[in-house]
């Protein structure tokens, strides 16, 4: 592996014009495809095999043209103080609004609140429901404009009018915090690499990689039915890992220059060593993301595969375009230890030279070396503090409540949230989450009697406020009943009610041969949550198992991969605890712009397991490979820990800060799902990089000593030698005659980076 990547790096360095041209052409091609493709549709929560999905499929079959999965809007009216919605003037205004709502080309139905009895008991609130042919994200702008215009016209008459439902659903915006995150990443790169040119390389390669990945997703969004959140997740991960992977290679390149190698040789060695770590780190992320397909939720599968593809592009760019850009940069990137003059580079070098010339002034070890020395001297204390600290943060995770966001989780400044609150005020909290009971009476001798039996049974269940009259299809063998609970959609009480209705349906099936199934948005959300919960353990076993095998090959050890997996579990549990404390308990909610707390998004645990595991293994690979490299080259186990930490800690810390900044940038998103994922990933990276990899990992390796690198001889012979440490590079250097002379050589006429 190292030898192949060494040759690839040198080839990209020499043929930089060709490599740059290929990536620019791919970016252009993807951009053209994205610009000419239809926009992404809404994210679908369909789950094959669940009762709610079976009911939706039955509705499509028995009620053709009903657009069961189409967008809906609830236009909610509230009369001025002291008036009623039944007053003549208010009634005329509502009827005019209903007439305006029904004129759109995508509208399938509009309900008149006075005909459907959709007026509250006290007469102050009423609503009209609008159905559309297509999903919310697929609505034409003209349909949304018409909806908003009709609502505004009603407001002009003196009524309070708000619009709920998914018809006004729009692509999530991230706000300015995402830009701030990238700016923080740029500052960290400049400080770490010592020059603007060196700092610009990782940013440039990451932006190109994300551009290709996201543009490809947008180009295929309509064809593959990819939701808008898919590209957001891909951009989030692609940007973070893209910067990190290029950072590791550029940092290693500067280290090779400092050892006296010429630039082409330094590029080859950086690609062969750090590049090998990039390949295996990227593989762990890809495995974790692609593994989401085992959950068998189409939306998650598509999001995982799309993000995995973007990460794969980031790896390829790091291995090819980064060496090419290093060739363009030439002498503008200095060896490690040197900084640009505007950062005080000349003074620092002079001071270092004076110190080396005066033997009476010992060279002070760097912070990383001093910290590693402390850890290996006090491994038990450091280990206990790290584990206890993460354990304390993980405590809130024991109170985890799962659900899916609805209009009730929107900020109070939105019309969707205000409509939600008005409906709760006028009709009760359960009105925002009606359940739909579909009765398939095709096999029953008396379909109408069977449906009546179902209706009477459901009415008698505790927690049911009302059951609407049955609506039959043309054949008269299938009916729909709308059930209003007495609790809000995201509550545990509503979930229990769904299970009770389904249990009663089983008894009805025995008595009448009619099949009663529960569906609707609320029931679908409950089924999504259950499906994700059931898949969590198998998914965890698959991802951790595959990555464990991969890390055995990389580290040629049993205990190091085991330690990596256990450290990851600590990180993810602590991160889940922090998410619960903020988004469920409300700690620091105001500071993060969270206006409504409640159940944690059902997908969050499985996202945390998948994505955080991949990122955690990044730091494990980058940090521990340097330790193993020192051990393989003859250092004692304890000294190898210090040496590896000294070389890798600064870059790993910078990479973690960059990732945290990028992920934290998405906390400003207008969509609660993206906001929660951004916070969860940022805090998880902090826990894993700072506490687990920087404290617990060196402490455990110091305690294990030589046992850390133990591997049964039969397994050692069976495993392929991937040579992450770069032992084969010495032979390759001897064969090609590459050496350490001409460290400042500038072969092949270096071009300015700005020329790119």
């Amino acid at each position: 592996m190292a030898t192949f990547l060494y040759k690839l790096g040198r080839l990209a360095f020499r043929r930089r014009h060709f490599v740059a041209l290929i990536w620019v052409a791919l970016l252009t091609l993807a951009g053209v495809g994205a610009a000419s493709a239809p926009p992404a549709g809404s994210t679908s929560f369909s789950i094959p095999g669940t009762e709610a999905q079976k009911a939706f499929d039955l509705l499509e079959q028995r009620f053709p043209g009903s657009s069961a999965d189409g967008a809906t809007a609830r236009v909610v009216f509230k009369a001025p103080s002291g008036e009623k919605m039944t007053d003549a003037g208010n009634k005329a205004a509502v009827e005019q609004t209903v007439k305006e709502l029904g004129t759109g080309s995508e509208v399938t139905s509009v309900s008149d609140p006075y005909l459907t009895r959709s007026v509250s008991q006290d007469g102050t609130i009423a609503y009209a429901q609008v159905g559309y042919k297509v999903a919310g994200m697929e609505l034409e702008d003209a349909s949304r404009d018409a909806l908003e215009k009709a609502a505004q016209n009603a407001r002009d008459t003196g009524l309070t009018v708000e619009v709920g439902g998914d018809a006004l659903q729009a692509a999530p915006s991230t706000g300015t915090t995402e830009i701030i995150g990238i700016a923080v990443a740029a500052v960290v790169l400049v400080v770490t690499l010592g020059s603007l040119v060196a700092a610009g390389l990782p940013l440039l390669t990451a932006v190109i990689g994300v551009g290709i990945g996201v543009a490809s997703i947008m180009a295929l969004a309509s064809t593959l039915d990819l939701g808008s959140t898919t590209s957001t997740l891909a951009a989030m991960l692609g940007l973070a890992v893209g910067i990190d992977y290029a950072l590791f290679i550029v940092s290693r390149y500067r280290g090779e220059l400092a050892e006296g190698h010429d630039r082409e040789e330094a590029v080859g060695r950086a690609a062969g060593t750090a590049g090998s770590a990039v390949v295996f780190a990227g593989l762990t992320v890809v495995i974790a993301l692609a593994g989401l397909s085992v959950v068998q939720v189409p939306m998650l599968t598509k999001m995982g595969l799309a993000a995995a593809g973007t990460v794969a592009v980031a790896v390829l760019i790091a291995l090819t375009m980064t060496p090419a850009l290093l060739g363009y940069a030439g002498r503008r990137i200095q060896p490690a230890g040197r900084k640009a003059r505007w950062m005080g580079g000349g003074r620092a070098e002079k001071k270092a030279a004076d110190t080396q010339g005066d033997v009476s002034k010992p060279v002070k070890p760097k912070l990383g070396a001093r910290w590693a020395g402390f850890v290996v001297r006090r491994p038990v204390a450091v280990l206990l503090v790290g584990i206890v600290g993460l354990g304390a943060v993980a405590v809130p995770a024991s109170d985890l409540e799962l659900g899916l966001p609805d209009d009730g989780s929107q900020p109070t400044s939105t019309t969707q949230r205000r409509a939600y609150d008005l409906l709760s005020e006028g009709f009760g909290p359960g009105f925002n989450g009606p359940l739909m009971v579909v009765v398939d009476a095709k096999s029953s001798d008396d379909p109408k009697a069977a449906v009546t039996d179902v209706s009477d049974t459901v009415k008698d269940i505790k927690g049911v406020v009302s059951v609407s009259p049955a609506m039959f299809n043309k054949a008269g063998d299938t009916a729909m009943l709308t059930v209003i609970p007495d609790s809000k959609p995201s509550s545990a009480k509503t979930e229990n009610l769904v299970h009770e209705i389904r249990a009663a349906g089983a008894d009805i099936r025995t008595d009448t041969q009619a099949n009663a199934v529960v569906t609707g948005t609320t029931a679908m959300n409950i089924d999504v949550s259950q499906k994700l919960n059931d898949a969590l353990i198998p998914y965890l076993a698959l991802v951790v198992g595959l990555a464990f095998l991969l890390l055995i090959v990389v580290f040629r050890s049993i205990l190091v991969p085991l330690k990596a997996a256990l450290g990851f579990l600590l990180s993810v549990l602590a991160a889940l605890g922090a998410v619960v404390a903020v988004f469920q308990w409300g700690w620091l909610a105001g500071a993060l712009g969270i206006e409504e707390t409640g159940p944690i998004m059902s997908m969050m645990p499985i996202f945390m397991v998948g994505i955080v595991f991949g990122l955690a293994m990044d730091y494990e690979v980058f940090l521990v490979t340097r330790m193993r490299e020192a051990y393989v080259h003859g250092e004692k186990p304890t000294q190898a820990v210090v040496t590896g930490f000294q070389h890798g800690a600064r870059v790993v810390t910078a990479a973690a800060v960059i990732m945290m900044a990028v992920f934290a940038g998405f906390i400003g998103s207008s969509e609660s799902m993206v906001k929660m994922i951004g916070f969860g990933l940022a805090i998880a990276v902090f826990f894993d990089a700072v506490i687990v990899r920087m404290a617990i990992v060196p402490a455990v390796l110091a305690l294990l000593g030589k046992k850390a690198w133990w591997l049964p001889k039969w397994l050692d012979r069976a495993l392929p030698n991937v040579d992450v440490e770069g032992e084969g590079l010495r032979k390759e250097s001897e064969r090609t005659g590459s050496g350490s002379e001409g460290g400042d050589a500038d072969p092949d006429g270096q071009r300015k980076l700005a020329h790119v």
Side-chain angles (χ1 to χ4, degrees):
M1 173 68 75
T3 303
F4 170 76
L5 294 178
Y6 168 84
K7 294 178 180 178
L8 179 64
R10 295 188 61 161
L11 178 64
F13 181 90
R14 292 194 303 270
R15 300 289 184 264
R16 45 188 170 274
H17 306 307
F18 181 67
V19 172
L21 181 63
I22 289 178
W23 284 113
V24 171
L26 289 175
L27 178 61
T28 304
L29 184 63
V32 171
S36 59
S42 60
T43 304
S44 172
F45 283 104
S46 64
I47 309 181
T50 61
E51 180 170 319
Q53 187 61 47
K54 290 177 181 177
F56 269 125
D57 296 340
L58 182 64
L59 286 175
E60 289 288 345
Q61 179 184 351
R62 303 288 175 86
F63 290 84
S66 62
S67 300
D69 57 350
T72 59
R74 279 182 171 177
V75 183
V76 188
F77 308 89
K78 184 176 183 179
S81 179
E83 298 181 18
K84 303 284 187 181
M85 288 305 304
T86 52
D87 294 347
N90 294 334
K91 185 175 182 180
V94 171
E95 289 176 342
Q96 176 61 30
T97 303
V98 170
K99 183 178 179 181
E100 293 177 14
L101 292 171
T103 59
S105 60
E106 294 182 312
V107 175
T108 58
S109 62
V110 182
S111 64
D112 187 326
Y114 302 104
L115 298 179
T116 58
R117 299 179 181 179
S118 302
V119 180
S120 64
Q121 196 168 12
D122 62 3
T124 60
I125 297 174
Y127 75 91
Q129 183 152 316
V130 187
Y132 294 89
K133 298 177 182 177
V134 296
M137 287 294 294
E138 298 171 0
L139 279 177
E140 296 179 356
D141 291 338
S143 296
R144 290 197 184 93
D145 293 342
L147 177 60
E148 293 173 346
K149 183 179 179 181
Q152 185 58 49
N153 290 339
R155 291 189 190 102
D156 293 340
T157 66
L159 295 173
T160 298
V161 184
E162 305 295 346
V163 183
D166 59 352
L168 293 182
Q169 183 180 8
S173 59
T174 56
T176 58
T177 50
E178 180 185 356
I179 300 175
I180 295 174
I182 296 176
V184 171
V187 172
V188 173
L189 287 170
V190 171
V191 173
T192 304
L193 298 177
S195 76
L196 290 174
V197 174
L201 283 180
L203 285 174
L204 179 60
T205 55
V207 168
I208 292 175
V210 169
I212 293 173
V214 173
S216 300
I217 292 171
M218 294 173 65
L220 299 172
S222 179
T223 304
L224 301 180
D225 190 25
L226 303 177
S228 59
T229 310
T230 303
S231 59
T232 304
L233 177 65
M236 185 189 301
L237 290 175
L239 190 61
V241 302
I243 293 175
D244 280 4
Y245 294 164
L247 168 62
F248 284 114
I249 291 178
V250 173
S251 178
R252 187 60 182 256
Y253 167 74
R254 296 179 69 230
E256 296 295 338
L257 286 179
E259 292 184 8
H261 298 293
D262 64 49
R263 297 190 179 277
E264 182 177 336
E265 177 68 11
V267 164
R269 286 176 173 269
T273 52
S276 297
V278 165
V279 169
F280 285 101
L283 276 176
T284 59
V285 179
V286 169
I287 288 173
L289 292 171
L292 288 171
S293 58
V294 305
V295 182
Q296 296 183 354
V297 175
M299 181 195 69
L300 277 181
T301 299
K302 294 172 183 177
M303 290 178 69
L305 292 177
T310 305
V311 171
V313 171
V315 172
L316 292 175
I317 283 186
L319 297 176
T320 56
M321 193 167 189
T322 300
L325 292 180
L326 289 173
Y328 282 114
R331 291 193 178 96
R332 294 173 182 82
I333 296 183
Q334 298 293 324
R338 299 186 192 176
K339 294 182 179 180
R341 290 187 178 277
W342 64 274
M343 293 186 67
R347 293 189 301 272
E349 291 166 19
K350 184 177 183 301
K351 183 177 180 181
D354 293 342
T355 303
Q356 290 176 358
D358 188 353
V359 294
S360 64
K361 295 181 180 180
V363 179
K364 186 178 180 180
K366 294 183 179 179
L367 179 61
R370 296 200 302 272
W371 170 251
F374 171 77
V375 172
V376 297
R377 289 194 303 271
R378 301 285 188 273
V380 176
V382 172
L383 186 62
L384 288 177
V385 170
I387 292 175
V388 171
L390 289 179
V393 179
V395 169
S398 61
D399 191 38
L400 178 67
E401 295 179 9
L402 298 177
L404 285 172
D406 55 21
D407 283 348
S409 61
Q410 296 274 359
T412 53
S413 59
T414 62
T415 186
Q416 294 96 323
R417 172 59 187 276
R418 292 196 292 263
Y420 181 98
D421 292 339
L422 283 177
L423 288 172
S424 296
E425 177 187 340
F427 302 93
F431 202 79
N432 283 293
L435 306 175
M436 183 184 297
V437 179
V438 182
V439 184
D440 180 6
K442 193 171 185 178
S443 301
S444 177
D445 296 333
D446 189 347
K448 290 188 177 181
V451 172
T452 301
D453 192 5
V454 172
S455 179
D456 293 341
T457 301
V458 173
K459 285 179 182 177
D460 292 338
I461 296 177
K462 184 179 179 181
V464 174
V465 173
S466 64
V467 179
S468 70
M471 185 174 74
F472 283 87
N473 64 342
K474 290 183 179 179
D477 58 8
T478 307
M480 290 188 296
L481 303 170
T482 300
V483 179
I484 305 298
D486 65 0
S487 52
K488 64 180 183 179
S490 59
S491 69
K493 190 175 180 181
T494 301
E495 182 177 352
N496 293 333
L497 177 61
V498 170
H499 293 316
E500 287 186 40
I501 295 175
R502 287 173 172 171
D507 297 334
I508 293 171
R509 188 183 308 115
T510 303
D511 298 335
T512 65
Q513 302 302 311
N515 189 28
V517 290
V518 184
T519 189
T521 302
T522 301
M524 179 65 80
N525 289 349
I526 291 171
D527 286 351
V528 168
S529 300
Q530 187 62 50
K531 183 88 171 182
L532 293 170
N533 289 341
D534 294 343
L536 182 59
I537 299 302
Y539 172 70
L540 182 63
L542 174 68
V543 171
V544 175
L546 288 176
F548 181 78
L549 295 176
L550 183 64
L551 292 180
I552 289 178
V553 175
V554 174
F555 296 127
R556 308 194 78 78
S557 165
I558 298 294
L559 296 180
V560 171
L562 180 61
K563 174 262 310 168
L566 294 177
F568 150 73
L569 291 177
L570 275 175
S571 300
V572 78
L573 286 175
L576 278 175
V579 169
V580 170
V582 172
F583 288 87
Q584 187 175 311
W585 291 0
W587 295 4
L588 299 176
L592 296 176
I594 303 166
E595 297 187 19
E596 186 70 22
T597 60
I600 302 304
M601 182 183 62
S602 300
M603 289 176 285
M604 197 63 195
I606 210 156
F607 264 126
M608 296 287 285
V609 168
I611 299 173
V612 175
F613 181 78
L615 299 180
M617 294 306 103
D618 273 5
Y619 301 123
E620 180 75 14
V621 170
F622 287 127
L623 190 61
V624 180
T625 49
R626 291 305 297 263
M627 297 178 183
R628 174 166 174 78
E629 185 176 338
Y631 176 75
V632 168
H633 291 163
E635 293 189 12
K636 294 182 179 181
T638 302
Q639 182 58 38
V641 170
V642 176
T643 301
F645 201 91
Q646 179 179 355
H647 287 294
R650 177 182 173 87
V651 181
V652 168
T653 301
V657 173
I658 290 169
M659 261 195 194
M660 285 187 285
V662 172
F663 290 148
F666 289 85
I667 297 176
S669 174
S670 61
E671 186 168 309
S672 59
M673 174 178 172
V674 176
K675 183 188 290 285
M676 191 179 295
I677 291 175
F679 172 81
L681 293 182
I683 199 70
V685 168
F686 172 78
F687 290 147
D688 193 85
V690 175
I691 300 178
V692 174
R693 309 303 155 188
M694 296 294 176
I696 294 178
V697 166
V700 171
L701 291 178
L703 288 172
L704 291 175
K706 289 185 178 181
K707 295 178 182 177
W709 310 110
W710 172 80
L711 187 70
K713 292 183 179 180
W714 63 268
L715 185 57
D716 186 37
R717 291 191 297 268
L719 291 177
N721 183 16
V722 295
D723 189 22
V724 177
E725 299 80 21
E727 278 293 305
L729 298 185
R730 294 183 178 181
K731 297 179 181 179
E732 182 66 21
S733 296
E734 294 172 359
R735 188 184 68 81
T736 59
S738 300
S740 59
E741 296 183 5
D744 289 330
D746 194 22
D748 198 27
Q750 304 297 341
R751 303 291 192 272
K752 293 183 178 181
L753 182 61
H755 182 67
V756 183

